[in-house]
């Protein structure tokens, strides 16, 4: 029973993190209509860093050790700078529907870096169902429409690699520091650079920026950049990087559902069918991981 409870808590916490992250691409898509990708990336990091720093101080968290700085820098590179910036740039060239193709590959990227950086050793059948689930996501996204471009595709591939690295590195560090502490310290570490970028990329005028863009910025700053990681890193640390990472297979479908509700995009029956296949793959990956 001692092993079962952390596993259940890990899956629950990881799922909540995925649901929060699912709104990131729709919110980013809306925000980049009025904000530049560089400003959006740096501004969201600054807002989240201020909140993270306040939590660290309020709860009197000890500073990370010197040996943790490299890992925190990797987390910052992957999830504070790399993924937000590259996806924002990509969404200027491709639709959010097309970007789902690449989000479906995040579990494989996370599991791979979990092996390389976290020392995990999933069973062969885990990789089978992981690849099957990723292939289902890709097939669904490719048949659901949306225009693409080579530049946008390459940017998304690079963002997935960096995000997988940041997820795995953060999960490894969370076992010692705690989930919300890791993302908070990574944000604080990146804050000086992000502040300079924010000042350099300020919009020439604030008058033409719509309410939806501000709401998008608020969402990615508070939820995508901080709150989601509190649950996500906790889930990865409790349940294992490779196994919990498979929950990311559900993220594209949660994202499409949110896009349908918030942006008025149609939700096809194929989404429901594909989601069923994905749930089965996640269940088997969990059982056999």
């Amino acid at each position: 029973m001692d092993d079962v409870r952390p596993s259940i808590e890990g899956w629950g916490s990881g799922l909540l993190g995925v649901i929060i992250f699912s709104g990131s691409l729709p919110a980013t898509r809306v925000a980049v209509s009025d904000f530049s990708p560089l400003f959006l990336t740096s501004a969201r990091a600054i807002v989240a860093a201020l909140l993270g720093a306040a939590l660290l101080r309020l709860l009197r968290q000890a500073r990370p050790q010197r040996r943790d700085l490299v890992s925190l820098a990797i987390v910052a590179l992957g999830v504070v700078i790399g993924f937000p910036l590259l996806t924002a740039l990509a969404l200027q060239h491709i639709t959010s529907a097309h970007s789902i193709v690449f989000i479906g590959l995040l579990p494989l990227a996370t599991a791979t870096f979990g092996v390389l950086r976290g020392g995990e050793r999933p069973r062969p059948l885990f990789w089978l169902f992981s690849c099957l689930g990723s292939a289902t996501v890709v097939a669904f996204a490719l048949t659901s429409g949306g225009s693409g471009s080579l530049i946008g595709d390459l940017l998304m591939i690079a963002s997935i690699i960096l995000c997988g690295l940041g997820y795995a590195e953060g999960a490894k560090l969370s076992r010692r520091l705690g989930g919300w502490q890791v993302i908070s310290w990574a944000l604080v570490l990146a804050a000086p650079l992000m502040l300079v970028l924010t000042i350099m990329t300020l919009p020439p005028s604030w008058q033409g920026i719509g309410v939806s863009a501000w709401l998008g910025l608020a969402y990615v700053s508070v939820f995508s950049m901080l709150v989601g990681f509190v649950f996500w890193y906790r889930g990865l640390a409790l349940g294992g990087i490779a196994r919990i990472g498979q929950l990311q297979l559900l993220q594209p479908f949660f994202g499409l559902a949110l896009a349908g509700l918030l942006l008025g995009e149609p939700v096809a029956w194929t989404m429901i069918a594909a989601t069923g296949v994905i749930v089965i793959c996640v269940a088997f990956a969990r059982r056999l991981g």
Side-chain angles (χ1 to χ4, degrees):
M1 288 295 294
D2 292 340
D3 294 333
V4 173
R5 185 171 180 178
S7 177
I8 294 175
E9 290 180 355
W11 283 92
S13 184
L15 179 60
L16 187 53
V18 166
I19 293 173
I20 293 173
F21 288 147
S22 297
S24 298
L25 284 179
T28 300
R29 178 70 172 173
V30 171
V32 293
S33 61
D34 290 335
F35 294 117
S36 71
L38 271 175
F39 176 80
L40 178 64
T41 301
S42 56
R44 68 188 277 182
I46 289 298
V47 173
L50 290 173
L51 295 174
L55 284 174
L56 291 169
R57 185 172 181 82
L58 181 64
L59 299 178
R60 299 180 179 180
Q61 297 297 301
R63 292 185 179 182
Q65 300 178 17
R66 183 173 296 180
R67 61 174 178 162
D68 298 328
L69 294 180
V70 173
S71 290
L72 287 172
I74 292 175
V75 173
L77 174 65
V79 302
V80 177
I81 302 173
F83 183 77
L85 176 59
L86 293 176
T87 52
L89 290 170
L91 286 170
Q92 290 189 320
H93 301 278
I94 59 177
T95 64
S96 57
H98 188 80
S99 68
I100 289 174
V101 174
F102 306 94
I103 297 299
L105 300 177
L106 255 179
L108 278 179
T110 304
T112 299
F113 283 112
V115 171
L116 296 176
R117 300 291 301 175
E120 297 192 355
R121 293 293 182 269
R123 299 174 185 175
L125 284 176
F126 165 85
W127 293 107
L128 172 63
F129 284 102
S130 178
C131 291
L132 179 60
S134 294
T136 302
V137 174
V138 171
F140 170 78
L142 287 174
T143 58
S144 64
S147 58
S149 74
L150 179 60
I151 295 176
D153 290 351
L154 292 176
L155 287 169
M156 284 302 302
I157 290 173
S159 74
I160 293 305
I161 293 174
L162 287 177
C163 190
L165 173 60
Y167 279 172
E169 194 70 26
K172 183 181 71 171
L173 199 56
S174 294
R175 295 166 183 166
R176 289 194 297 105
L177 299 183
W180 72 267
Q181 292 92 333
V182 168
I183 188 60
S184 295
W185 284 118
L187 287 163
V188 170
L189 184 63
L193 174 61
M194 295 293 97
L195 179 59
V196 172
L197 286 177
T198 300
I199 295 173
M200 292 178 60
T201 58
L202 285 172
S205 174
W206 302 99
Q207 294 181 351
I209 299 174
V211 175
S212 59
W214 284 111
L215 291 176
L217 173 59
Y219 187 90
V220 296
S221 299
V222 177
F223 293 96
S224 303
M225 202 76 266
L226 182 62
V227 177
F229 281 102
V230 173
F231 297 100
W232 181 239
Y233 278 151
R234 182 174 183 271
L236 292 176
L238 288 175
I241 299 172
R243 285 183 296 170
I244 300 301
Q246 297 310 295
L247 288 171
Q248 293 169 111
L249 290 169
L250 301 175
Q251 184 172 331
F253 304 102
F254 287 135
L256 283 179
L258 290 174
L261 291 173
L262 300 177
L263 305 180
E265 296 181 0
V267 178
W269 68 268
T270 51
M271 172 184 172
I272 301 175
T275 302
V277 176
I278 295 303
V279 170
I280 293 173
C281 289
V282 171
F284 276 100
R286 172 187 175 181
R287 189 175 184 85
L288 302 174

